[in-house]
Amino acid sequence: MLAASPSHAQYIQWEKCRPGQPNTPDKTCVVDGDTIWIDGVNVRMEGYDTPEPQTNICGGEREKALAGQASDRLVELLNTRSWTLELSGSQGGFGREIGTIYIDGRDVGEILVEERLARWWPDGDEWWCG
């Protein structure tokens, strides 16, 4: 099980993944507000969902803009706060590991939902669609 400790967090300078960036054993970047790559492992966050940056499933340009804000905020939190990553041991869609990032001991999903950059999943309303 991959677990990122606060000491691990000290040497990572997070940035957004570049479109088409190949996977490598050291790939570490933020895909979007609810998905990261860390040391070549694709991790989907558990319990919350953010707008999609590429597909804009339901909200068009508004959704894409909000997706960018959610991704930027996750990068900011990871680069400026103490964080840990816990994997659940299960896999989700697209072969991704399922995990939770804790920022200063708090689920990052709570922060993003409070800031209206995410919704609870699976039962939260996709308010950016309206």
Side-chain angles (χ1 to χ4, degrees):
M1 176 192 271
L2 175 75
S5 66
S7 60
H8 184 85
Q10 299 304 312
Y11 72 85
I12 294 176
Q13 181 61 41
W14 288 91
E15 59 185 33
K16 287 201 248 185
C17 300
R18 295 178 309 278
Q21 181 179 0
N23 186 24
T24 60
D26 63 344
K27 181 178 182 177
T28 298
C29 55
V30 171
V31 175
D32 59 29
D34 57 36
T35 306
I36 64 169
W37 282 90
I38 184 165
D39 295 331
V41 177
N42 192 349
V43 182
R44 171 63 161 90
M45 297 305 113
E46 187 167 25
Y48 75 94
D49 185 41
T50 59
E52 297 300 324
Q54 287 88 16
T55 57
N56 58 58
I57 293 171
C58 60
E61 290 303 313
R62 177 175 179 237
E63 180 178 5
K64 284 173 47 175
L66 191 61
Q69 292 172 11
S71 300
D72 290 343
R73 181 64 172 139
L74 183 56
V75 167
E76 176 186 17
L77 288 166
L78 290 170
N79 282 332
T80 62
R81 302 297 239 333
S82 175
W83 61 270
T84 57
L85 170 64
E86 293 182 13
L87 298 181
S88 71
S90 60
Q91 283 196 338
F94 308 106
R96 298 178 292 188
E97 298 291 327
I98 303 297
T100 303
I101 293 174
Y102 293 96
I103 301 287
D104 297 327
R106 187 172 175 214
D107 183 336
V108 73
E110 292 178 33
I111 297 168
L112 295 175
V113 168
E114 280 180 10
E115 294 179 1
R116 301 258 320 146
L117 297 171
R119 69 174 180 123
W120 293 118
W121 187 87
D123 299 323
D125 179 40
E126 284 182 295
W127 47 267
W128 54 81
C129 290

